[in-house]
PDB file of all heavy atoms in Angstrom:
ATOM      1  N   MET A   1       0.889  -1.175  -0.038  1.00 98.00           N
ATOM      2  CA  MET A   1      -0.042  -0.012   0.031  1.00 98.00           C
ATOM      3  C   MET A   1       0.908   1.248   0.010  1.00 98.00           C
ATOM      4  O   MET A   1       2.000   1.205   0.477  1.00 98.00           O
ATOM      5  CB  MET A   1      -0.902   0.014   1.258  1.00 98.00           C
ATOM      6  CG  MET A   1      -2.019  -1.058   1.192  1.00 98.00           C
ATOM      7  SD  MET A   1      -3.078  -1.015   2.663  1.00 98.00           S
ATOM      8  CE  MET A   1      -4.100   0.420   2.286  1.00 98.00           C
ATOM      9  N   GLN A   6      -0.984  14.368   3.747  1.00 98.00           N
ATOM     10  CA  GLN A   6      -0.901  15.831   3.656  1.00 98.00           C
ATOM     11  C   GLN A   6      -1.476  16.396   4.996  1.00 98.00           C
ATOM     12  O   GLN A   6      -2.625  16.167   5.246  1.00 98.00           O
ATOM     13  CB  GLN A   6      -1.686  16.327   2.443  1.00 98.00           C
ATOM     14  CG  GLN A   6      -1.099  15.919   1.132  1.00 98.00           C
ATOM     15  CD  GLN A   6      -1.915  16.358  -0.036  1.00 98.00           C
ATOM     16  OE1 GLN A   6      -3.092  16.061  -0.132  1.00 98.00           O
ATOM     17  NE2 GLN A   6      -1.299  17.179  -0.890  1.00 98.00           N
ATOM     18  N   LYS A  39      -3.944  -7.287   4.845  1.00 98.00           N
ATOM     19  CA  LYS A  39      -4.433  -6.630   6.036  1.00 98.00           C
ATOM     20  C   LYS A  39      -3.261  -6.144   6.922  1.00 98.00           C
ATOM     21  O   LYS A  39      -3.333  -5.193   7.583  1.00 98.00           O
ATOM     22  CB  LYS A  39      -5.379  -7.545   6.837  1.00 98.00           C
ATOM     23  CG  LYS A  39      -6.690  -7.758   6.122  1.00 98.00           C
ATOM     24  CD  LYS A  39      -7.537  -8.834   6.807  1.00 98.00           C
ATOM     25  CE  LYS A  39      -7.704  -8.808   8.247  1.00 98.00           C
ATOM     26  NZ  LYS A  39      -8.697  -9.791   8.726  1.00 98.00           N
ATOM     27  N   GLY A  70      -5.148  15.951  18.416  1.00 97.00           N
ATOM     28  CA  GLY A  70      -6.670  15.906  18.275  1.00 97.00           C
ATOM     29  C   GLY A  70      -7.134  16.162  16.875  1.00 97.00           C
ATOM     30  O   GLY A  70      -8.180  16.722  16.623  1.00 97.00           O
ATOM     31  N   ILE A  73      -9.078  12.775  10.055  1.00 98.00           N
ATOM     32  CA  ILE A  73      -8.517  12.233   8.843  1.00 98.00           C
ATOM     33  C   ILE A  73      -9.603  12.280   7.730  1.00 98.00           C
ATOM     34  O   ILE A  73     -10.775  11.897   8.026  1.00 98.00           O
ATOM     35  CB  ILE A  73      -8.016  10.814   8.993  1.00 98.00           C
ATOM     36  CG1 ILE A  73      -6.737  10.866   9.875  1.00 98.00           C
ATOM     37  CG2 ILE A  73      -7.800  10.124   7.694  1.00 98.00           C
ATOM     38  CD1 ILE A  73      -6.123   9.535  10.122  1.00 98.00           C
ATOM     39  N   SER A  75      -9.765  10.422   4.307  1.00 98.00           N
ATOM     40  CA  SER A  75      -9.124   9.298   3.564  1.00 98.00           C
ATOM     41  C   SER A  75      -9.829   9.156   2.201  1.00 98.00           C
ATOM     42  O   SER A  75     -11.050   9.012   2.114  1.00 98.00           O
ATOM     43  CB  SER A  75      -9.266   8.012   4.314  1.00 98.00           C
ATOM     44  OG  SER A  75      -8.699   6.931   3.629  1.00 98.00           O
ATOM     45  N   MET A  94      -1.401  -1.075 -14.347  1.00 96.00           N
ATOM     46  CA  MET A  94      -1.377  -2.488 -14.063  1.00 96.00           C
ATOM     47  C   MET A  94      -0.959  -2.833 -12.639  1.00 96.00           C
ATOM     48  O   MET A  94      -1.332  -3.904 -12.084  1.00 96.00           O
ATOM     49  CB  MET A  94      -0.399  -3.188 -15.070  1.00 96.00           C
ATOM     50  CG  MET A  94      -0.804  -3.063 -16.486  1.00 96.00           C
ATOM     51  SD  MET A  94      -2.389  -3.861 -16.913  1.00 96.00           S
ATOM     52  CE  MET A  94      -1.854  -5.568 -16.752  1.00 96.00           C
ATOM     53  N   ASP A 100     -12.346  -4.814  -6.531  1.00 96.00           N
ATOM     54  CA  ASP A 100     -12.918  -5.698  -5.498  1.00 96.00           C
ATOM     55  C   ASP A 100     -11.867  -5.940  -4.356  1.00 96.00           C
ATOM     56  O   ASP A 100     -12.242  -6.095  -3.181  1.00 96.00           O
ATOM     57  CB  ASP A 100     -13.448  -6.970  -6.102  1.00 96.00           C
ATOM     58  CG  ASP A 100     -12.461  -7.726  -6.865  1.00 96.00           C
ATOM     59  OD1 ASP A 100     -11.495  -7.220  -7.412  1.00 96.00           O
ATOM     60  OD2 ASP A 100     -12.617  -9.019  -7.037  1.00 96.00           O
ATOM     61  N   SER A 145       3.999   0.569   2.597  1.00 95.00           N
ATOM     62  CA  SER A 145       4.132  -0.569   3.508  1.00 95.00           C
ATOM     63  C   SER A 145       5.192  -1.529   3.143  1.00 95.00           C
ATOM     64  O   SER A 145       5.683  -2.319   4.007  1.00 95.00           O
ATOM     65  CB  SER A 145       2.758  -1.271   3.581  1.00 95.00           C
ATOM     66  OG  SER A 145       2.391  -1.766   2.251  1.00 95.00           O
TER      67      SER A 145
END
Side-chain angles (χ1 to χ4, degrees):
M1 291 180 75
Q6 297 176 299
K39 288 169 50 173
I73 289 179
S75 176
M94 297 295 290
D100 58 335
S145 59

